Amino acid sequence: MSKDVQKLVGHNARRLRIAAGLSQAEVAIKMGVDRAYVSGLELGQRNATIVSLWHFSQALGIKVGDLFEEEKKHKTAR
């Protein structure tokens, strides 16, 4: 279960970072961490603390909760 959450957060972190037009290096600088930390977070390899997730969300200008949102599947009309 925890790995699923890490993957979900990582997927959203990458998607939201790209949507914000920021590189991993730029986010890392804003967070005060190494770029490799941001990479590990996005790959779901980091068990990030709430403080790290808060710093990430602040760097992107999003809500922490956005990192936990499951993507909505769109149904196509026939």
Side-chain angles (χ1 to χ4, degrees), residues 3-57:
K3 285 290 184 188
D4 292 339
V5 172
Q6 286 173 233
K7 292 288 185 188
L8 173 65
V9 168
H11 173 77
N12 285 331
R14 178 175 168 77
R15 179 178 58 78
L16 293 166
R17 175 185 59 77
I18 291 170
L22 296 170
S23 69
Q24 288 180 346
E26 291 169 320
V27 173
I29 290 168
K30 289 181 176 208
M31 289 179 67
V33 299
D34 191 76
R35 187 208 55 82
Y37 184 87
V38 176
S39 175
L41 178 68
E42 290 183 358
L43 292 171
Q45 297 172 340
R46 298 274 181 197
N47 190 11
T49 65
I50 190 67
V51 173
S52 293
L53 296 177
W54 182 83
H55 283 292
F56 186 90
S57 68

